[in-house]
Amino acid sequence: MPDLPIRRNTALLSASMALNSAVFQLVAAVSSITFVLVTGIEGLLGLGPAIFLVSSACGSLVSGRAMDRFGRVPVIATGFAVTSVGSALTALGAATASWAGVVPGFALLGAGAGTAALARTAAGDMYPAARRARGIAWVLFGSVFGAILGPAVFSPIFAGKDVETAALVVPWLAASGIALLGIVVVLLVRPDPMRIAQLIAPAPAADEPTHAAPLREILRRPGVVPALVASLASIAVMVSVMNLTGYVVVEHRHHAQHVVFPIIAAHVLGMFGLVPVVGTLVDRIGRAPALVGGLAVIAVSCAGLQWGEGVWATGVLLFGLGLGWNVSYVAASAQLVDLSRPTERGKLLGFGDFSGSMLGAAFVLLGGYALDELGVYALAFGAAAAALLPVGVLLTRTAPPPVRTEPA
């Protein structure tokens, strides 16, 4: 077997996640406000994030299948290109106060972000099952640097300015430039992680098929559905609460717009800051216990939003929300990669991201309406209840050993 540059590729993929995270923070912080300012429709404040999430879902589904056919690198690089175009269109929409720029801009942003997030598929390709959660975690860890980059770039741009459409143009243009840098970083990854997966995979058992199974067959494998259910709940709750937090902080708590970025940075730090530790933990205690623990932390953090009104308190709760998602996301990703072959992983994880983002879009619309009509408590306790729903399924199911695959 050749000497494979797994560490180098891991570092580059981690850097790409840092750049994707920086753009993602801008979306989380101001997408709802951008939509309201451009359209003037406060009752649909969740529609902006929902457009992003629906397009992210579609991007994940299409890109996941494309990855299994064309490889990981070209598809992820394309995702960053789409993000760059989407950011530029959103800037144009803000400059002209036109929904005709913002709506397609959000759609392209979502499609690009959903594609870039599938870098964890590439991470799972390069590590054996016993170290897979740690490999995925190291790639996700790059988003910690995105948590630093985001506020460093965007907070100074917003500081001292009124919340109006003109103030949103430069941040969205900056996001477009960050995404262009992401293309360069991803194209340096070689050989393609899918090729590495084929080189390091153990031989299958004599009676085990080696072809890529259709998605419906993969979903019938023991352990796949519980991991997907937990993944859906954690993604949907996290993205809906995160995307509505900016509106809560500015409109309900009456804080200045620029304080949203440190809060979102704390959230991103929770999402990715401890992933090396989380990856090791998931490999040691098992996927199902980690999923249950992660969902419990999400529920507690969401419920706490009812009482945490200050900037620091909100930041701590958003950190907890990110940490709970972190544990659930790494555990679910590792289990889904365990239970699939290299030529199946893209479509399986893409389907999971598609379903989670679609559910998240529904949650953010419902949460936005509940927030506008009923207040913060409806968002806080509704999200907490949704996070706890899959726990019963997880406590009664166990996962089988990882699927064995044929080396090239």
Side-chain angles (χ1 to χ4, degrees):
M1 181 182 296
D3 185 21
L4 299 170
I6 292 175
R7 289 185 179 180
R8 176 180 177 276
N9 281 356
T10 298
L12 288 168
L13 289 169
S14 185
S16 77
M17 290 297 293
L19 298 170
N20 191 49
S21 171
V23 176
F24 187 62
Q25 284 181 77
L26 182 65
V27 174
V30 302
S31 60
S32 58
I33 293 172
T34 299
F35 187 83
V36 169
L37 287 176
V38 170
T39 65
I41 307 174
E42 291 193 16
L44 292 177
L45 65 98
L47 185 56
I51 293 170
F52 175 86
L53 291 169
V54 169
S55 61
S56 177
C58 296
S60 298
L61 188 65
V62 173
S63 297
R65 290 181 176 273
M67 277 184 171
D68 290 340
R69 182 174 180 181
F70 301 110
R72 316 310 190 200
V73 169
V75 176
I76 297 172
T78 301
F80 275 103
V82 172
T83 295
S84 182
V85 174
S87 297
L89 266 179
T90 304
L92 178 62
T96 58
S98 171
W99 64 266
V102 169
V103 170
F106 280 180
L108 290 176
L109 273 163
T115 300
L118 288 173
R120 75 189 193 281
T121 307
D125 283 336
M126 298 187 296
Y127 292 86
R131 297 173 54 219
R132 184 161 288 141
R134 277 168 281 186
I136 293 171
W138 278 114
V139 167
L140 295 178
F141 186 60
S143 296
V144 174
F145 299 96
I148 299 170
L149 179 62
V153 172
F154 299 121
S155 287
I157 296 175
F158 280 102
K161 294 184 179 179
D162 295 330
V163 182
E164 56 186 10
T165 53
L168 297 167
V169 176
V170 174
W172 286 114
L173 286 176
S176 180
I178 291 171
L180 288 176
L181 182 57
I183 300 173
V184 176
V185 171
V186 171
L187 290 177
L188 293 174
V189 175
R190 52 183 182 268
D192 195 286
M194 185 175 174
R195 176 58 179 164
I196 294 176
Q198 294 167 338
L199 290 170
I200 68 173
D207 59 347
E208 185 178 353
T210 59
H211 65 279
L215 182 60
R216 62 181 179 276
E217 182 178 319
I218 300 171
L219 294 176
R220 288 197 293 267
R221 292 174 186 166
V224 170
V225 169
L228 279 174
V229 169
S231 177
L232 262 59
S234 62
I235 291 173
V237 171
M238 187 275 289
V239 297
S240 60
V241 173
M242 177 193 63
N243 278 288
L244 293 171
T245 295
Y247 194 83
V248 170
V249 169
V250 175
E251 299 297 331
H252 286 260
R253 308 304 195 198
H254 306 295
H255 297 297
Q257 172 65 42
H258 71 273
V259 306
V260 175
F261 288 96
I263 291 172
I264 297 299
H267 174 64
V268 174
L269 186 62
M271 290 173 69
F272 302 109
L274 298 176
V275 283
V277 177
V278 169
T280 301
L281 178 69
V282 171
D283 280 336
R284 287 183 178 176
I285 71 172
R287 315 314 193 203
L291 286 168
V292 171
L295 290 169
V297 173
I298 290 174
V300 171
S301 300
C302 289
L305 288 173
Q306 169 62 18
W307 300 285
E309 297 188 3
V311 174
W312 277 97
T314 305
V316 169
L317 291 168
L318 265 289
F319 175 88
L321 174 63
L323 180 60
W325 171 87
N326 178 347
V327 176
S328 301
Y329 191 68
V330 171
S333 298
Q335 180 155 315
L336 293 174
V337 172
D338 287 346
L339 300 175
S340 57
R341 302 179 179 89
T343 52
E344 300 169 343
R345 289 170 185 164
K347 66 183 171 188
L348 178 57
L349 270 69
F351 174 75
D353 285 1
F354 167 79
S355 304
S357 293
M358 291 296 286
L359 187 59
F363 276 24
V364 80
L365 280 173
L366 180 61
Y369 178 79
L371 184 61
D372 189 55
E373 294 293 323
L374 302 174
V376 177
Y377 79 92
L379 174 67
F381 295 126
L388 292 175
L389 284 177
V391 170
V393 175
L394 292 167
L395 292 176
T396 58
R397 304 286 183 92
T398 57
V403 170
R404 294 171 62 84
T405 53
E406 184 178 16

